[in-house]
Amino acid sequence: MNIQPGSDGIQAGIPLVSSPPIAPSIYSFDRQHSAVTAPYVLVQTPAGLIPSIAVSPSSPQEPVPLFSTIPPPPISMSPGAPSVSHYPSPAPVVAAPTISKKGMEEAARYLARSFSFVENDGDALTIGHTKRRKSRSVPELRPKHMTKGTDQEYYRDFPLSSSDEEDYVIDVTRTKAKSHDNCRHYLDLAAGSAREALGLANIWRFPYFCFIKGGGPFLMAYLMLLICVGVPMICIEMAAGRATHSGPIQAIGKLAPLVQGIGVAGVVISYFLSTIYAVVFAWSIFYFFNSFHARPRWARCTNPWNTPNCTQDPEQFFRIRLAAISNSGDEMSGDINKTLSGQLAERTSTAQEFFDIKVIELSDNPNTPGVIRWELFASISLCLLLAYFSLRKKSFFSEKIKYVLSIIPFFIFAAFLFRVLLLEGSYDGIHYFFTPNLQAMKSAKLWVFALAQTIHSMGLTLGPNYVVSSRNKRQISLMRDTTITVLINVLVVFVVGTVTFGTVGHLCVIWKQELSSSFFHKDPGLVFVMYTEVIKLMPLPPLWAVLFWFLFICLAMDSINTLTSTVVHAIEESYGKTIKQRFQGRGFFLLFICCGCLIMAIPFVTDAGLYYLQTVDYYVSTLCIIVVCFGELCALAWLYGGQNLLYNTDEVLHPIPYVYLRMCWATVSPLAFMAVTVCGGMALQRPLMRDGRKFPLGADVVGWSLFGLVLFIVPVFAVRAIFRADASGLIAKIKASLQPQVVEVNDDLVYHGWPYWDPKPRHVFKNGASVYNGARI
């Protein structure tokens, strides 16, 4: 056997004696004497790195062998070099038994757990035996009481040097990292789910989508898609996160390397969405600072920006006009109420003028961008500055703060709901919200928006589900996670929808308008107008305004922090080495991410920023996310297999949920995606402006360009995976790139909540099927 100089774990000039490891039951030798007489090195084997005795040429004595072996023939370090002979052993030689590959893997894991490797004063490695840690994977050996300091000195660094990152590696960090994001209590999951449900996806996006698509039909489509798409998708994402202990990019790359670009595309959409949410945060900041008045500035027409069409009290305007008509004695053709209703439709409310003129200074069309709104730009800068510090400080939105952000908003929305139910005409709006219209449900565009809202409500494709589930304990049930998340989302959707549509019903009564009329502008600013109208009707409006907008800012900040941290986590996990080299540390990389988000948000804070925001939200956050989510479902459910994910996570399901998930993953969910994609794609058209005109052709070109740019990531990474596959021939490379690369990690080496920059315990395999620790690939 010839050993090339410079190979991993072997130093030039040191001959090695290696043999297949045997079972721990026949493992016996003098550890102290052997550690002194002969250093140990790590020998590369198919089972991993195994310690073996190295014989120094200058050592005159024969070391005590680690295993009974047949003396090997002379070893030469290079062709033509003189061989180094071993000294004869005085003891009788016993031939080593034949060990299978599985036995070698078991021996490798035993030795990796039983020994810690430290560097000696010399060039070689010495081995020192430490007390073996009690197993956490076997219940009978699990300790009953564990202290915080248990096993702090167990994990050591393996000083490995490998030029190939795809070699068989087991890498263990020096000490356990502090778990800061683990779900330690059952209430933690409920609090985290409530925070996700109270994000901008439900309190801002859902009322906007639901109103522009007709209320009741949209709600019914949303609930149906939630059952057949939302629940199965969140289950399979959580299972993938637990099986791989990774974020979205690495999770999909480990399970189906050919389509790793789907995870990258989802992260890119998260980045676009975090920019949109930063703009919404800037709007809420603007409302917050304009709430410190005896009467909020959006509740009066005496501001410098108000126009002559501003109407503060529509009922008084209606009475004055009716009295004027009656006193004049003029005969008016048609219904007087209808005529006055038409006159009121030409007027504008104080809340609408505040948003259109004071907040965004909306221009006439997207072709006139105007100037940058520096107040909004400063608000977005403040938002991203807070996001930067929240990513630097892990406890910025954790511990007790998450319970505050989960409980207090429910009380505020409950107070709004109670006030709305007492308003005149609110029941008409609530009835409009909960009444399905089967004729309207035939619209393909309605199903497109409903599917997009389902994806945003559950956080699908965007990555947070992978990150959260990868840090959860194994004992937490997957179905329990999903059930709690879905129920809280449905509750929030019902409450927010009732508040919004109850307010719309009341406004229709006092403004003498129909629910389906064009009086209410169907754009992203609708929710801000409705919330301010509710605040005007509350007792002590300034107090409620300050309290509500402060909590809205916190919830928006939490949503931005969740998406941005997911983006950062996924990129650091996949390209951490490159980031360290290029950005010289994590702080500069976070600054780069936040500055990039700020630059992307500049077009959204111009006079035509609302049109640009609608374009990006329609083509990227609505259409593109559906296609990426469909690809993710195919990758996890078909290429790798949902049943394999449940097997790898040791999830025990009752028959009913198991059959339901299998059916949805195999047929129901993919068919729903294909039906919505095909039928909705045939009915697509450019979004409409307030006056009913379509967006200009330039906006359509920009939107489809962004759509194609995000989806182009998937084939690029597919070609990259095929090119890097360890096989010959195109077909063989494609088959190899479809094989999983990482299997389940040993429970003794896994520690959830690992810091971003510390290396995780991992067991990396080359392309091809394998078995490790009972997990089947």
Side-chain angles (χ1 to χ4, degrees):
M1 178 175 64
N2 295 331
I3 301 178
Q4 299 299 330
S7 59
D8 293 343
I10 303 175
Q11 298 183 1
I14 302 179
L16 300 179
V17 179
S18 64
S19 62
I22 63 176
S25 60
I26 59 175
Y27 163 74
S28 174
F29 68 101
D30 187 357
R31 295 189 178 96
Q32 182 177 4
H33 180 67
S34 63
V36 174
T37 58
Y40 283 73
V41 297
L42 300 179
V43 177
Q44 192 80 5
T45 68
L49 295 170
I50 299 179
S52 296
I53 302 176
V55 181
S56 175
S58 61
S59 177
Q61 68 271 19
E62 171 69 12
V64 179
L66 176 60
F67 302 110
S68 296
T69 60
I70 298 176
I75 301 174
S76 60
M77 299 307 298
S78 62
S83 60
V84 182
S85 301
H86 293 274
Y87 292 92
S89 174
V93 176
V94 180
T98 303
I99 305 299
S100 64
K101 181 180 178 181
K102 184 175 181 180
M104 295 176 68
E105 293 173 351
E106 294 292 339
R109 289 194 295 272
Y110 174 79
L111 293 173
R113 291 194 300 266
S114 302
F115 295 89
S116 61
F117 297 90
V118 296
E119 294 185 357
N120 197 7
D121 295 335
D123 295 332
L125 299 175
T126 62
I127 182 170
H129 185 270
T130 59
K131 183 177 179 181
R132 184 183 178 188
R133 191 177 69 165
K134 294 183 179 181
S135 174
R136 292 186 182 180
S137 59
V138 182
E140 292 78 2
L141 301 179
R142 189 177 300 158
K144 295 182 180 180
H145 302 284
M146 296 186 65
T147 60
K148 295 183 178 179
T150 304
D151 303 330
Q152 289 296 321
E153 299 298 327
Y154 173 72
Y155 293 104
R156 301 287 185 184
D157 281 336
F158 283 3
L160 306 176
S161 60
S162 176
S163 59
D164 188 2
E165 296 180 356
E166 294 182 359
D167 286 345
Y168 300 91
V169 175
I170 297 178
D171 189 3
V172 187
T173 55
R174 183 177 301 275
T175 58
K176 282 185 179 180
K178 183 179 178 181
S179 175
H180 51 78
D181 286 329
N182 289 359
C183 292
R184 297 185 296 272
H185 195 274
Y186 288 107
L187 292 178
D188 290 354
L189 177 62
S193 300
R195 287 171 57 196
E196 293 294 331
L198 284 168
L200 294 182
N202 285 335
I203 65 176
W204 170 70
R205 184 181 296 275
F206 177 81
Y208 161 51
F209 276 4
C210 190
F211 186 77
I212 65 177
K213 293 303 174 185
F218 180 88
L219 179 63
M220 290 301 300
Y222 168 78
L223 294 177
M224 293 172 62
L225 291 173
L226 188 67
I227 295 174
C228 65
V229 174
V231 174
M233 279 297 299
I234 195 174
C235 278
I236 203 169
E237 284 192 355
M238 289 185 175
R242 289 192 187 185
T244 59
H245 306 286
S246 304
I249 298 177
Q250 283 294 308
I252 299 178
K254 291 174 181 179
L255 300 177
L258 182 64
V259 290
Q260 186 181 12
I262 292 176
V264 181
V267 171
V268 173
I269 295 176
S270 297
Y271 195 57
F272 275 102
L273 196 60
S274 63
T275 305
I276 294 175
Y277 284 176
V279 177
V280 177
F281 175 91
W283 294 348
S284 58
I285 281 281
F286 211 92
Y287 275 89
F288 175 73
F289 284 109
N290 282 274
S291 300
F292 294 93
H293 297 274
R295 184 176 181 85
R297 304 179 75 180
W298 61 79
R300 56 189 181 185
C301 288
T302 57
N303 301 293
W305 62 81
N306 289 125
T307 64
N309 287 331
C310 179
T311 303
Q312 183 171 329
D313 190 353
E315 293 181 330
Q316 183 180 2
F317 175 83
F318 183 83
R319 290 194 299 267
I320 293 175
R321 296 294 298 173
L322 183 61
I325 294 174
S326 301
N327 294 334
S328 63
D330 297 335
E331 296 183 359
M332 298 185 64
S333 60
D335 190 3
I336 297 180
N337 291 331
K338 186 176 182 180
T339 303
L340 294 179
S341 174
Q343 294 179 0
L344 280 174
E346 298 175 356
R347 314 290 292 183
T348 54
S349 64
T350 57
Q352 190 67 56
E353 283 201 354
F354 180 82
F355 179 80
D356 292 344
I357 302 176
K358 180 60 178 177
V359 178
I360 61 176
E361 293 186 3
L362 186 64
S363 61
D364 295 334
N365 57 75
N367 294 327
T368 56
V371 297
I372 297 177
R373 299 276 293 114
W374 293 108
E375 298 91 339
L376 296 180
F377 183 82
S379 301
I380 294 178
S381 302
L382 175 62
C383 167
L384 297 176
L385 184 64
L386 294 176
Y388 173 78
F389 285 111
S390 66
L391 293 175
R392 290 293 299 269
K393 296 291 184 179
K394 302 294 190 252
S395 59
F396 194 82
F397 274 103
S398 62
E399 300 300 333
K400 296 181 181 180
I401 299 179
K402 63 185 177 184
Y403 292 100
V404 174
L405 295 179
S406 304
I407 297 175
I408 294 183
F410 276 103
F411 286 102
I412 292 185
F413 277 103
F416 281 5
L417 178 62
F418 180 75
R419 182 68 184 95
V420 166
L421 292 177
L422 300 178
L423 296 176
E424 181 185 3
S426 61
Y427 284 96
D428 295 335
I430 297 173
H431 183 267
Y432 182 77
F433 174 59
F434 284 103
T435 302
N437 186 348
L438 299 180
Q439 187 66 26
M441 292 181 68
K442 296 179 181 180
S443 173
K445 290 187 62 177
L446 180 143
W447 289 91
V448 171
F449 280 86
L451 182 56
Q453 179 57 39
T454 303
I455 295 173
H456 284 286
S457 294
M458 298 289 103
L460 306 176
T461 306
L462 302 176
N465 294 328
Y466 289 96
V467 178
V468 172
S469 60
S470 66
R471 297 171 180 175
N472 281 354
K473 297 180 180 179
R474 285 298 187 85
Q475 292 78 9
I476 298 179
S477 172
L478 183 67
M479 286 304 299
R480 197 208 70 174
D481 290 4
T482 304
T483 303
I484 292 177
T485 303
V486 171
L487 290 179
I488 294 179
N489 269 275
V490 172
L491 176 62
V492 171
V493 161
F494 283 170
V495 172
V496 172
T498 303
V499 171
T500 303
F501 280 87
T503 306
V504 171
H506 174 68
L507 293 178
C508 287
V509 171
I510 63 176
W511 285 89
K512 312 299 180 184
Q513 304 296 321
E514 298 292 334
L515 282 168
S516 58
S517 65
S518 59
F519 176 76
F520 304 101
H521 300 305
K522 299 177 181 180
D523 54 43
L526 170 73
V527 176
F528 287 84
V529 175
M530 294 304 157
Y531 285 151
T532 50
E533 292 287 353
V534 175
I535 293 173
K536 287 196 305 183
L537 301 172
M538 297 290 289
L540 299 176
L543 176 62
W544 284 101
V546 172
L547 183 61
F548 174 79
W549 291 117
F550 176 75
L551 285 175
F552 193 93
I553 290 170
C554 293
L555 296 176
M557 189 67 233
D558 191 35
S559 299
I560 297 168
N561 180 63
T562 300
L563 291 177
T564 310
S565 63
T566 301
V567 173
V568 172
H569 173 79
I571 297 177
E572 287 177 350
E573 188 180 46
S574 302
Y575 310 102
K577 184 178 179 181
T578 303
I579 292 173
K580 288 181 180 180
Q581 294 175 351
R582 300 293 183 184
F583 295 95
Q584 305 299 323
R586 186 169 185 267
F588 189 70
F589 174 67
L590 296 179
L591 184 63
F592 173 79
I593 292 292
C594 294
C595 290
C597 189
L598 180 62
I599 294 174
M600 289 177 58
I602 290 178
F604 300 148
V605 296
T606 59
D607 292 347
L610 185 66
Y611 302 120
Y612 303 149
L613 187 143
Q614 281 184 274
T615 302
V616 175
D617 186 70
Y618 179 69
Y619 289 98
V620 177
S621 302
T622 302
L623 302 182
C624 187
I625 198 173
I626 293 176
V627 180
V628 175
C629 189
F630 180 41
E632 181 187 30
L633 175 63
C634 295
L636 298 179
W638 289 356
L639 295 182
Y640 185 80
Q643 182 180 4
N644 296 333
L645 283 175
L646 294 180
Y647 181 85
N648 290 345
T649 55
D650 299 329
E651 186 70 20
V652 179
L653 297 179
H654 295 290
I656 295 178
Y658 180 75
V659 173
Y660 160 71
L661 291 178
R662 290 289 304 277
M663 289 180 59
C664 289
W665 290 338
T667 57
V668 177
S669 298
L671 287 177
F673 269 106
M674 286 188 287
V676 172
T677 304
V678 174
C679 298
M682 295 173 62
L684 284 180
Q685 59 181 358
R686 281 179 281 174
L688 302 177
M689 292 188 291
R690 290 183 174 181
D691 54 2
R693 295 178 300 166
K694 293 182 179 181
F695 271 56
L697 182 60
D700 194 49
V701 171
V702 172
W704 285 115
S705 299
L706 294 175
F707 178 88
L709 181 64
V710 175
L711 293 184
F712 185 69
I713 297 174
V714 180
V716 168
F717 275 79
V719 173
R720 174 176 174 266
I722 294 174
F723 179 76
R724 293 188 174 187
D726 188 9
S728 59
L730 180 61
I731 303 299
K733 283 181 174 292
I734 294 176
K735 290 182 179 180
S737 61
L738 287 173
Q739 295 295 330
Q741 291 186 346
V742 173
V743 296
E744 185 62 21
V745 189
N746 194 333
D747 291 337
D748 291 335
L749 302 179
V750 174
Y751 196 76
H752 310 297
W754 218 274
Y756 294 137
W757 291 97
D758 293 344
K760 290 185 179 180
R762 61 188 183 276
H763 195 110
V764 183
F765 278 76
K766 289 186 177 180
N767 295 331
S770 182
V771 178
Y772 182 78
N773 197 22
R776 176 169 57 86
I777 308 179

